[in-house]
Amino acid sequence: MYFNFPLVLSFCIEVLSSLFGVVFAFSLILYGLQKLNKHLLVTQFGFRSLYPTAVIGTPLHELSHAIFAVFFRHEVAQVKLFAPDIKTGVLGYVQHGYRNTIYQICGCFFIGIAPLLMGAAVIFLANMIFFPEVNKLFLAINEKAISGGFSTLLSSFIFFEAVSIESFQGILFALSDASFKEILWVYLIIAVSVHMGPSTADLRNALPGVLALSIIIILLAVIFQSEISYRLLSIREAVGIFTKILLIACYANLAFMGCIVLAICVKKALMFRKGENARA
């Protein structure tokens, strides 16, 4: 069998950079946004101000860890889907362990990033049920990106900016006269998005699986090199949609941050007015 080294090399570079690059880049971005949002809420409104979104987002986050831990045959010791602790700041957790089998080591990666995967799936499903125009937009952008030969991450930013602005203006205009269903959609997207970022502990736990998965991907590329072109197209499409959903999650975090800042301004204004009235 002829070994096409340049083809295998380019395939491995694109797949590994798309998989690990997208995952870790968005994990860090979402982690930073979520930490800032949590800090603003807790310092200004108290720990319980996290509950309106955490009651949905935290159980989903922890459930995703538990599901993937069971799938990859890790030993799950304890699961707390929603157990807020004001002293530690913890909202929930999953305790699990594993033996050093290749399957379980690979599973570390997917267990660590499970909130991203589950969160993206729930956002896509929520779009499908409440606002299908968003998913149609994703697919349209993805098709143009792939036909234009753009890389997965670059295409997501370029086409999301260039193609979707007008469409999202239409969506936002529709939301200005929103029904209960559409308001529920916005709440679900925000509640999921502001809790779907893996924590630093999640990312540390995912690291053992990175090397194992990289080796497996390289071996599969060598064995099935005749199918690389077909597989690469499918991978680009899947990662492209995944990236765009993660962008929505980032925008939802930013929108939520804007709401928090607005609430803080209103709080400060009311306190100032109350002080003025007291002095009068």
Side-chain angles (χ1 to χ4, degrees), residues 29 34 48 97 135 174 244:
I29 292 170
Q34 290 171 193
R48 289 184 176 83
N135 285 349
K244 292 167 184 63

Side-chain angles (χ1 to χ4, degrees), residues 109-130:
F109 175 74
F110 293 102
I111 295 168
I113 69 163
L116 282 183
L117 301 175
M118 184 75 80
V122 170
I123 290 174
F124 192 85
L125 183 61
N127 291 344
M128 190 184 302
I129 295 172
F130 297 109

Side-chain angles (χ1 to χ4, degrees), residues 217-278:
I217 289 171
I218 293 170
L219 289 175
L220 290 175
V222 172
I223 296 170
F224 299 103
Q225 58 180 297
S226 60
E227 300 180 20
I228 279 181
S229 298
Y230 169 73
R231 299 299 178 190
L232 189 58
L233 191 64
S234 301
I235 291 170
R236 282 176 179 169
E237 184 175 356
V239 176
I241 293 174
F242 181 55
T243 305
K244 292 167 184 63
I245 294 175
L246 294 182
L247 277 170
I248 286 290
C250 291
Y251 292 156
N253 273 273
L254 289 171
F256 187 57
M257 188 183 299
C259 293
I260 296 172
V261 171
L262 180 60
I264 292 173
C265 291
V266 171
K267 176 187 174 184
K268 298 292 186 184
L270 291 175
M271 290 175 63
F272 177 79
R273 184 175 179 181
K274 185 178 179 180
E276 287 292 309
N277 292 336

